[in-house]
Amino acid sequence: MIRGMRIVLRAIERQDLPNYVEWFNDPVVLEYFGRYRPLSLAEEEQWYEQMLQDPKTCNFAIELEGRHVGGAGFNNIDGRNASAEVGLFIGLPELWDQGLGFDVLQTLLRFGFEQLNLNRIYLRVFARNERGVHLYEKLGFKHEGRWRQAEFRNGQYQDMLWMSILREEWTG
């Protein structure tokens, strides 16, 4: 387990999968994250098995006071270049805007820089996701670029921002 201020990052277990299916089928949760079509439990089980075998992935369940509330982790881990893509989500909208995202991402950054020995952690975020962009900027992520009309979501094309933070920029 990896402890943040309020949250705990732990291994994803098979019994967590129904929560992910519920969250990934909720349009409110998916507004700026995840899939564009419904997810089945069978698909999530297939993802889980593949994730367990993928050395370029390091995913966690997020717990708050013993309750599974979301997911977070690293994908595209590149050992040669010491970089990885980070992502997170809180699956329960009633827990949004309470500082959990900050706690999760701060904990992930510490783990990525101190344990995975990463030099660069990057992410993609919808330009219209002002709450997400603000969080990333607050933690020291810098804007690297904008992919114009990169993804079709909710009936329109949306720009995608690329952001990153380097170990030397991280304040820990």
Side-chain angles (χ1 to χ4, degrees):
M1 282 198 229
I2 304 164
R3 297 194 182 281
M5 295 298 292
R6 296 175 51 209
I7 58 90
V8 170
L9 300 178
R10 62 159 175 81
I12 298 171
E13 301 293 346
R14 190 173 299 282
Q15 63 263 26
D16 296 324
L17 301 184
N19 289 340
Y20 288 106
V21 172
E22 179 182 341
W23 298 329
F24 292 159
N25 284 309
D26 181 344
V28 174
V29 173
L30 294 182
E31 182 175 3
Y32 296 120
F33 178 83
R35 300 165 53 95
Y36 61 91
R37 61 184 174 87
L39 175 71
S40 70
L41 183 56
E43 288 174 300
E44 188 65 1
E45 288 171 345
Q46 183 180 32
W47 168 85
Y48 177 73
E49 293 299 328
Q50 291 172 345
M51 185 257 319
L52 291 175
Q53 303 301 317
D54 185 354
K56 294 184 176 196
T57 299
C58 183
N59 286 318
F60 303 100
I62 303 168
E63 277 194 3
L64 175 67
E65 300 170 353
R67 181 180 179 198
H68 181 211
V69 299
F74 296 100
N75 292 303
N76 303 315
I77 298 171
D78 180 344
R80 181 177 177 278
N81 294 304
S83 70
E85 182 174 12
V86 70
L88 70 114
F89 76 97
I90 305 298
L92 303 168
E94 65 268 21
L95 296 177
W96 294 355
D97 298 318
Q98 296 183 22
L100 295 181
F102 183 90
D103 192 5
V104 170
L105 191 52
Q106 187 174 50
T107 304
L108 282 170
L109 292 175
R110 185 179 73 239
F111 180 79
F113 289 130
E114 293 181 358
Q115 301 301 317
L116 297 180
N117 196 32
L118 296 173
N119 182 60
R120 178 177 178 270
I121 297 174
Y122 64 94
L123 58 82
R124 293 170 288 162
V125 59
F126 286 108
R128 294 167 63 172
N129 183 353
E130 294 175 10
R131 188 170 68 241
V133 172
H134 176 72
L135 167 65
Y136 307 139
E137 290 171 342
K138 187 174 177 179
L139 280 162
F141 280 77
K142 307 288 188 234
H143 290 264
E144 291 188 335
R146 174 184 293 259
W147 284 12
R148 298 176 309 139
Q149 297 185 4
E151 189 165 328
F152 189 75
R153 181 72 62 123
N154 300 320
Q156 55 190 230
Y157 289 98
Q158 296 191 31
D159 291 1
M160 188 72 69
L161 303 179
W162 285 83
M163 301 175 74
S164 74
I165 185 169
L166 304 177
R167 181 194 311 254
E168 64 196 37
E169 297 167 337
W170 179 59
T171 58

